[in-house]
Amino acid sequence: MFRGANAISLDAKGRLAMPSRYRDELVARCAGQLIVTIDAIDPCLCVYPLAEWELIEAKLRELPSLREESRRLQRLLIGNAVDLELDANGRFLVPPRLREYAKLDKQVMLVGQLNKFQLWDDAAWSAMADADLAALKQSGGMPDELQNR
C-alpha cells in the first residue's frame, strides 16, 4: 500500500526521483514498470504500478463501447497513458504533455493512494487538501463506514 505525501523536485529534464521507501516495493511488484496517465477528475496525474494499471484496463474494457461516457473515459485514460520504467537511480521521466496537463513545474507532491500515486503541483495539492478538509468539516465529518474504527 502506498501512503503519505512526499514533496519532490522535478529536475530540469522533468524527471522525478521515486522516494526510496517506495522503490524496493515497486521493483518487487512490477520490476519498476509504471503507467502514468491523467486523473479524469482532479488536476493531477495518476502513477500506477503496471499490474494495478492492468486491472484498470480490464475494467475499462468491460464498459459498454456504445455509451459515450465509456468511450470518453477510455479516450482520456488510455489515450493519455504512458509506459515508464524506473531507471537505475530510481527516477522516471514525466512526459512533457502530461506535465503540462497537471501544470507540474519544479515542486511536486507525490501522494500515495493505496494502490497508486497521484502526482500534483505543490500549490494545487495544498489548495485541494485545504478544500477537502473544509468540505469534510462542513459535511459533518467522517462517513458512517469509518466511524468507530
Side-chain angles (χ1 to χ4, degrees), residues 17 21 28-30 34 67 75 77 84 88-89 95 97-98 112-113 129 132 137 144 146:
R21 68 187 220 174
R29 269 191 188 192
C30 60
L34 306 170
R67 292 185 61 194
R75 280 192 301 269
L77 295 181
L84 304 172
N89 296 316
R97 181 174 47 88
L98 295 180
Q113 295 291 292
D132 286 345
K137 286 179 180 178
D144 292 339
L146 293 177

Side-chain angles (χ1 to χ4, degrees), residues 1-52:
M1 295 297 169
F2 305 115
R3 59 181 75 88
N6 304 269
I8 301 174
S9 295
L10 292 179
D11 70 12
K13 294 180 181 179
R15 290 178 299 197
L16 176 144
M18 183 62 71
S20 58
R21 68 187 220 174
Y22 303 126
R23 259 184 241 157
D24 292 340
E25 179 72 20
L26 289 169
V27 169
R29 269 191 188 192
C30 60
Q33 295 180 307
L34 306 170
I35 303 294
V36 64
T37 191
I38 65 170
D39 186 299
I41 297 170
D42 292 322
C44 65
L45 303 178
C46 291
V47 181
Y48 292 89
L50 181 59
E52 292 292 335

Side-chain angles (χ1 to χ4, degrees), residues 39-112:
D39 186 299
I41 297 170
D42 292 322
C44 65
L45 303 178
C46 291
V47 181
Y48 292 89
L50 181 59
E52 292 292 335
W53 173 252
E54 289 171 340
L55 297 173
I56 300 295
E57 281 184 327
K59 290 177 183 177
L60 290 170
R61 192 177 307 117
E62 293 173 5
L63 294 175
S65 63
L66 296 178
R67 292 185 61 194
E68 182 57 32
E69 314 78 59
S70 300
R71 293 193 346 248
R72 185 176 297 125
L73 189 59
Q74 289 170 334
R75 280 192 301 269
L76 288 172
L77 295 181
I78 296 171
N80 285 290
V82 177
D83 292 87
L84 304 172
E85 190 168 347
L86 293 178
D87 68 13
N89 296 316
R91 299 174 303 188
F92 65 88
L93 176 68
V94 182
R97 181 174 47 88
L98 295 180
R99 285 196 314 262
E100 184 179 319
Y101 168 83
K103 297 177 176 53
L104 303 180
D105 189 23
K106 181 84 174 140
Q107 297 301 315
V108 300
M109 292 297 289
L110 183 71
V111 182

